[in-house]
Amino acid sequence: MVVAVVVVLGFIADRVFGDPVYPFHPVRLMGWYISKGDKLLRRDKQNRTAAFILGMLLSVFLVAACFALPFALLFYLYKLHIVAGIMVEAALCYQIFAAKALKDESMKVYTALENNDIEDARQWLSWIVGRDTQNLNEEEISKAAVETVAENLSDGVIAPMMLLFIGGAPLGFAYKAVNTLDSMIGYKNEKYAYFGKFAARLDDVVNFIPSRLSALLMIFATPFCKLNIGQAWRIFLRDRYKHKSPNSAQTESVCAGALGVSLSGDHYYGGKLVHKPVIGDPLRPAVKEDMKLTNKLMYASSWLCLLLGAAVRVLVVVL
């Protein structure tokens, strides 16, 4: 019952206040550790086996620490007083969610397009996507913003929420460590091909089930947003594996189907053209209003997950 309470409080706090910005934010500390470990352990032209083992040790230590530290803190606080434990754990849960940050950052792109300032829109978009944005037109900008919200719905909101309901803040922070490792060193390039391989594979494994459950929640949430549930289901079944990652296209395919637009496809990264399969059918051109619809779908899916997760926790206690 306590777990349900702290997760609900944490999500509501994120909905109201958004992700707090301060120097000792847990994710910033994770990023600092990864950056320092990268500089200390990785070398150019490093032996492949050594690079893999060192990258694995860096990852395992961070994930273990991110579970153990909040576990120890909360164990002490709950023994001290249950109210102290609830307040601190709710505050920790709050810092794991990224729903409002996703919405706010994507809506900066929307506002720029609404003001007919495409250069400003490209600039804001560059903060939330990895592709080159300097030559994108309005439709391509809208697609990119929709994609990043749809993809990050799973690892930024639904997946951590599921794990929080299972294991509270300690498991949530362990998940966040996995996610941060993948975002910083989990690249399939020459620099991180072996050093970041364990982090990338760990992220794939950890997100395998949550990404699929996130997609299903999105499908069930489409009627609440007056979007096409039949089309969402059809495109999900057809296009959910059209990505190098086994998880990323799960939610993207649902979003593309629900909106009736095509996503992904070829894009430039660092001046280099990267070929990617198209997800969805271009039943109509993507427009800036699709950013609003995607954020609405993101929140509908998140609230649905919150209600279901809390209900399951309560039933476990009652039964």
Side-chain angles (χ1 to χ4, degrees), residues 12 36 43 118 125 133 139 199 202 234 244 262 306:
I12 291 174
K36 292 295 183 182
R43 297 288 182 271
I118 195 165
L125 182 65
T133 63
E139 181 181 4
L202 181 62
R234 185 179 72 83
K244 287 183 178 180
S262 63
L306 191 72

Side-chain angles (χ1 to χ4, degrees), residues 7-114:
V7 177
V8 170
L9 288 175
F11 183 75
I12 291 174
D14 176 76
R15 181 68 181 89
V16 175
F17 303 110
D19 198 30
V21 179
Y22 65 102
F24 300 107
H25 189 292
V27 178
R28 283 176 176 253
L29 295 177
M30 292 177 199
W32 176 87
Y33 165 85
I34 296 167
S35 179
K36 292 295 183 182
D38 182 15
K39 292 178 181 178
L40 180 65
L41 300 175
R42 186 184 55 80
R43 297 288 182 271
D44 293 335
K45 298 180 180 180
Q46 194 171 35
N47 176 273
R48 293 177 178 182
T49 303
F52 177 80
I53 292 174
L54 290 170
M56 179 179 67
L57 292 174
L58 177 75
S59 301
V60 169
F61 182 83
L62 178 63
V63 174
C66 287
F67 179 87
L69 291 175
F71 181 87
L73 173 64
L74 292 171
F75 181 80
Y76 169 75
L77 288 173
Y78 277 115
K79 291 200 71 163
L80 184 67
H81 199 286
I82 189 170
V83 174
I86 288 174
M87 296 304 293
V88 171
E89 189 166 14
L92 292 175
C93 292
Y94 158 48
Q95 297 177 79
I96 293 173
F97 291 115
K100 193 170 191 299
L102 275 173
K103 179 185 177 182
D104 289 349
E105 294 305 310
S106 62
M107 290 308 293
K108 289 176 183 177
V109 180
Y110 172 86
T111 301
L113 290 178
E114 185 75 0

